[in-house]
């Protein structure tokens, strides 16, 4: 009824070596069927075509649906001899997938390497409190408190913040890589969505070209919130420890405290990441253990 696939709109050319279109004929689709070379007798071949006016029967898991109408033309070819049935080859788009995998692995290596270098070079506090000798006094001064905390000095707080960030980034990038693996295995796609690379950069590092990706930066956000909530220049021990440059974990009685940054700013996020990775492992295992020709071949 639409007039787009009727008899006068179909043109058949036989005994030609290439696709030809007559002058004045507007071709919406070109189909070229070639028989095996050296075949003198043409066997009986059946050709069937179906034109769909839209792509509602073929939803894409990779691309969003376009506003413009997309028609789909399907074809089936059959014959008594298997040699007349053409073999269609589809070249998967693996270049972007390989790039995403390399980016994720490279970021894991870089964040872990940066953590190790920072740890080896600066974890020991080079400017601890009470490291300066004071001149003895004849006067008996009564201190305002028996617990004295000196203002922050040196680079110990910066080292602790970098260690905190790089270690969280390492775990975050492992989660990004695991999520990427699950998406590829479960959806059976050879490529990831186009927004995956900037989104993974935002989640892993906390920075990319858009504000949305920056807000998704888990390591950077956690580190910034921890610093803002616990660090003060006059009392840096709310954020870090004094003996070495790492997150504070003990209270005044030298007991582990759940209110210190070591628990809620590091152990808790890492625990959630490990639970998430365990779920990804279970999902991947369930998928790969199923009998699927596309996976077992």
């Amino acid at each position: 009824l639409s007039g787009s696939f009727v008899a006068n709109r179909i043109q058949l050319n036989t005994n030609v070596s290439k696709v030809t279109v007559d002058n004045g004929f507007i071709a919406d689709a070109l189909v070229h069927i070639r028989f095996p070379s050296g075949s003198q007798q043409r066997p009986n071949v059946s050709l069937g075509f179906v034109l769909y006016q839209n792509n509602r029967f073929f939803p894409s898991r990779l691309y969003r649906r376009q506003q413009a109408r997309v028609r789909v033309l399907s074809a089936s070819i059959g014959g008594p001899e298997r040699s007349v049935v053409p073999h269609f080859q589809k070249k998967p788009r693996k270049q972007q997938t390989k790039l995403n995998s390399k980016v994720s692995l490279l970021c894991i290596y870089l964040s872990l390497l940066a953590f190790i270098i920072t740890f080896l070079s600066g974890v020991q506090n080079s400017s601890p409190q009470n490291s300066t000798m004071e001149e003895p006094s004849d006067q008996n001064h009564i201190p305002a408190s028996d617990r004295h905390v000196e203002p922050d000095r040196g680079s110990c707080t910066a080292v602790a913040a970098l260690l905190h960030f790089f270690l969280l980034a390492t775990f975050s990038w492992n989660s990004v890589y695991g999520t990427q693996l699950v998406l590829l295995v479960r959806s059976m796609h050879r490529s990831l969505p186009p927004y995956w690379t900037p989104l993974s950069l935002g989640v892993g590092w906390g920075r990319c070209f858009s504000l949305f990706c920056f807000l998704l930066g888990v390591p950077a956000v956690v580190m910034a919130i921890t610093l803002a909530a616990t660090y003060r220049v006059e009392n840096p021990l709310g954020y870090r420890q004094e003996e070495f440059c790492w997150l504070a974990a003990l209270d005044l009685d030298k007991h582990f405290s759940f209110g210190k940054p070591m628990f809620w700013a590091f152990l808790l996020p890492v625990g959630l990441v490990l639970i998430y990775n365990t779920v990804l492992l279970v999902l991947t295992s369930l998928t790969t253990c199923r009998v699927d020709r596309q996976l077992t071949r």
Side-chain angles (χ1 to χ4, degrees), residues 57-108:
F57 287 163
F58 313 97
S60 175
R61 297 181 181 179
L62 181 61
Y63 300 102
R64 292 181 299 178
R65 186 174 178 179
Q66 300 177 354
Q67 297 296 331
R69 187 177 63 178
V70 178
R71 293 185 297 175
V72 180
L73 178 63
S74 67
S76 61
I77 304 176
E81 297 181 7
R82 191 173 181 84
S83 60
V84 303
V85 180
H87 178 65
F88 295 95
Q89 293 183 350
K90 181 181 178 181
K91 185 179 180 181
R93 300 187 306 170
K94 295 183 179 180
Q95 183 177 2
Q96 184 65 27
T97 302
K98 292 181 179 179
L99 177 60
N100 290 326
S101 300
K102 291 181 179 179
V103 168
S104 299
L105 289 176
L106 179 61
C107 290
I108 293 175

Side-chain angles (χ1 to χ4, degrees), residues 2-293:
S2 63
S4 56
F5 202 54
V6 292
N8 59 358
R9 293 288 305 275
I10 302 174
Q11 185 180 78
L12 180 62
N13 297 329
T14 60
N15 297 326
V16 293
S17 59
K18 61 180 181 179
V19 178
T20 59
V21 179
D22 296 340
N23 294 332
F25 187 84
I26 301 176
D28 294 330
L30 299 175
V31 180
H32 184 207
I33 303 173
R34 184 173 58 186
F35 290 91
S37 59
S39 178
Q40 299 296 333
Q41 183 179 2
R42 296 290 186 262
N44 295 327
V45 178
S46 61
L47 306 177
F49 298 93
V50 177
L51 177 65
Y52 300 89
Q53 296 298 328
N54 53 63
N55 59 346
R56 292 183 179 179
F57 287 163
F58 313 97
S60 175
R61 297 181 181 179
L62 181 61
Y63 300 102
R64 292 181 299 178
R65 186 174 178 179
Q66 300 177 354
Q67 297 296 331
R69 187 177 63 178
V70 178
R71 293 185 297 175
V72 180
L73 178 63
S74 67
S76 61
I77 304 176
E81 297 181 7
R82 191 173 181 84
S83 60
V84 303
V85 180
H87 178 65
F88 295 95
Q89 293 183 350
K90 181 181 178 181
K91 185 179 180 181
R93 300 187 306 170
K94 295 183 179 180
Q95 183 177 2
Q96 184 65 27
T97 302
K98 292 181 179 179
L99 177 60
N100 290 326
S101 300
K102 291 181 179 179
V103 168
S104 299
L105 289 176
L106 179 61
C107 290
I108 293 175
Y109 301 152
L110 289 178
S111 58
L112 187 57
L113 178 63
F115 170 79
I116 294 175
I117 293 177
T118 307
F119 179 84
L120 295 178
S121 60
V123 70
Q124 191 68 31
N125 190 358
S126 58
S127 301
Q129 295 186 12
N130 300 324
S131 59
T132 58
M133 299 297 296
E134 297 182 357
E135 294 293 335
S137 175
D138 296 335
Q139 302 295 328
N140 186 15
H141 296 285
I142 301 177
S145 173
D146 58 347
R147 298 184 184 274
H148 174 68
V149 179
E150 296 182 2
D152 193 13
R153 60 187 178 187
S155 59
C156 188
T157 301
V159 172
L162 289 177
L163 292 176
H164 187 200
F165 172 76
F166 287 132
L167 200 55
L168 288 180
T170 302
F171 282 94
S172 299
W173 273 112
N174 276 276
S175 297
V176 169
Y177 187 74
T179 305
Q180 174 180 308
L181 178 63
V182 171
L183 291 177
L184 291 175
V185 171
R186 291 183 63 86
S187 63
M188 295 307 299
H189 281 158
R190 298 302 181 185
S191 59
L192 293 168
Y195 59 82
W196 178 256
T197 299
L199 180 62
S200 61
L201 289 174
V203 173
W205 288 119
R207 59 169 181 247
C208 75
F209 296 102
S210 64
L211 180 61
F212 176 75
C213 291
F214 176 80
L215 292 177
L216 287 177
V218 177
V221 170
V222 173
M223 184 194 68
I225 293 177
T226 307
L227 278 173
T230 61
Y231 175 75
R232 299 293 183 271
V233 177
E234 62 276 6
N235 185 15
L237 300 185
Y239 174 74
R240 62 171 175 85
Q241 302 183 28
E242 175 62 23
E243 291 78 9
F244 50 89
C245 305
W246 182 235
L247 300 177
L250 306 180
D251 56 13
L252 297 179
D253 297 328
K254 302 300 180 179
H255 296 153
F256 183 83
S257 175
F258 291 98
K260 292 294 183 178
M262 182 65 178
F263 173 74
W264 59 266
F266 179 72
L267 294 180
L268 185 60
V270 170
L272 296 177
V273 169
L274 294 179
I275 295 175
Y276 177 74
N277 288 346
T278 303
V279 174
L280 295 181
L281 177 61
V282 173
L283 293 177
T284 307
S285 302
L286 292 177
T287 303
T288 54
C289 290
R290 294 174 182 173
V291 180
D292 196 330
R293 296 179 179 178

